[in-house]
Amino acid sequence: MGNQPYELMTARQAADALDLYLAERAPALRRLRTALAGQGGDPDKMLDGSVYSVSPLWSWINARVGQLGLDPRPLTADPSWSSWPSWARHGRLVDPHPPAATIALVDGFATYLGQVLLAAAPQAAWQVGEHIMADHPLLNYPVLASDHHQIFLPALPLYSVYQSAHGRDPMSGPEMLTHTRRTINALHGDGTEAAALEETLVTVVAELDCFDVGLREDIPAAHPGLVEHLIAELCDRDGVASVHRYGPAALVVNVADWDELRVKMWCTLWLQRHLPR
C-alpha cells in the first residue's frame, strides 16, 4: 500500500488503511494529552468528553498552530513525513505544509472529536468511505458513518491549520463547535448535511489547461453572493492564476500546480465551512 492516495486504493488497500487509521487513534490521543500537559493545560479537564469541550480545545490548538507556523522544507525533503499518521501520508498534503507537531495536534484532535461524536451518535461506526459516484471526495477514506452521513474527521481541522499557516482566517473554537453539532445532527439524519450522501457539493473535470468546476445547482440560488466569496478566496490561493464564472454554478479555474483532486477538496471544504445551515 505504501503511501498510495486513498482515491487510488483498491478495496483491500482501503480496508487495510481503515484498520491502520483505527490502530493509530490511541497513540494520537496520548500525544495530545502530553502536548496539553506540556503547555500547562489539564488534559482531564480539557478532554472531558462533552460536545462543548471541542470549542476551547480547538482554540488552544489554534494558538499552538499559529506559533508553529510552516515547515520550510518541501514534503519530499522533510524527514518527519514518513512518521506522520497514515491519513496525512495517504491524503495528499501539499506544500508549503504544516510541521509534524501541527499534524500531530490535528491527529489528536480528530481522535478526540471521534470520541465525542460516537458518544453523541452511538449508531455511527467506522467504515471505508463509499459512494455511488466514483469521484466522491471521501471514496476509500476512513470515515465515521451512519446511514445518513459520513465524515473524514481530519479534513476540516487540516483545512483550518493550512489557513492559519498561510496567514488566513482559521476556524475558531465556536465555529468548530458548530461543525461538531451539525455533524451530530447529520449522523442522526437531521439537517442539510445529511444530504451529502445523495449529491456532492462540487464536481471537477480536468480540461487541457484548466479545471471546469461545477457547484451543486441549489447553492447560487439559495445563498446569493456565496459563489463570489468562494471565487475571491480561491483567487487568493497560491498558484491560482484566475477563476472565471461562466454560469450561476459553473467556474473555470486556471491553476498550473494543482490536480483535479486538490481543486475538488479545496472547494468542498470551503463550502462545508461557509454554507449557512
Side-chain angles (χ1 to χ4, degrees):
M1 181 169 57
N3 294 316
Q4 179 93 319
Y6 286 117
E7 297 78 10
L8 302 181
M9 288 182 179
T10 65
R12 180 69 262 169
Q13 288 173 328
D16 290 343
L18 173 61
D19 289 342
L20 179 56
Y21 177 86
L22 294 177
E24 293 170 338
R25 295 311 92 210
L29 190 60
R30 287 196 296 269
R31 286 190 292 269
L32 177 60
R33 294 180 66 88
T34 298
L36 287 167
Q39 294 294 316
D42 183 343
D44 291 332
K45 182 177 181 180
M46 295 183 73
L47 306 177
D48 66 5
S50 67
V51 173
Y52 176 75
S53 66
V54 168
S55 180
L57 174 61
W58 185 250
S59 295
W60 179 86
I61 289 176
N62 262 342
R64 286 292 297 139
V65 167
Q67 295 167 356
L68 292 167
L70 283 168
D71 194 300
R73 300 163 294 191
L75 283 165
T76 53
D78 185 348
S80 71
W81 186 77
S82 61
S83 64
W84 286 6
S86 60
W87 62 262
R89 290 182 283 106
H90 295 306
R92 295 198 189 189
L93 271 69
V94 296
D95 288 320
H97 65 279
T102 293
I103 299 299
L105 289 173
V106 171
D107 196 34
F109 179 79
T111 303
Y112 180 66
L113 181 59
Q115 292 184 347
V116 170
L117 292 173
L118 277 169
Q123 78 279 15
W126 293 102
Q127 68 176 50
V128 173
E130 58 185 15
H131 200 270
I132 58 174
M133 299 172 62
D135 68 342
H136 191 273
L138 294 184
L139 187 68
N140 292 338
Y141 279 67
V143 298
L144 187 63
S146 68
D147 291 340
H148 313 285
H149 188 61
Q150 59 185 6
I151 180 171
F152 174 57
L153 294 180
L156 273 181
L158 182 64
Y159 164 88
S160 180
V161 301
Y162 263 96
Q163 290 285 96
S164 179
H166 287 262
R168 301 182 177 97
D169 183 26
M171 295 181 71
S172 66
E175 193 173 4
M176 191 63 77
L177 176 59
T178 297
H179 164 65
T180 302
R181 286 173 170 158
R182 288 173 178 166
T183 301
I184 292 169
N185 288 339
L187 290 169
H188 284 292
D190 302 323
T192 56
E193 287 204 17
L197 285 178
E198 309 302 326
E199 185 177 0
T200 57
L201 291 171
V202 181
T203 58
V204 178
V205 176
E207 302 291 353
L208 182 61
D209 55 358
C210 62
F211 296 95
D212 194 329
V213 178
L215 308 180
R216 202 173 65 195
E217 290 186 359
D218 65 291
I219 291 173
H223 310 290
L226 190 68
V227 179
E228 291 300 323
H229 185 191
L230 181 150
I231 290 171
E233 290 210 11
L234 184 54
C235 285
D236 190 44
R237 301 300 296 188
D238 298 334
V240 176
S242 65
V243 180
H244 171 64
R245 185 178 186 181
Y246 68 91
L251 314 174
V252 172
V253 180
N254 181 2
V255 54
D257 297 329
W258 292 21
D259 61 15
E260 186 175 346
L261 176 66
R262 184 175 177 188
V263 175
K264 184 166 189 168
M265 287 298 290
W266 189 92
C267 292
T268 298
L269 291 173
W270 190 95
L271 287 169
Q272 286 177 346
R273 179 184 183 188
H274 291 280
L275 272 174
R277 297 183 178 92

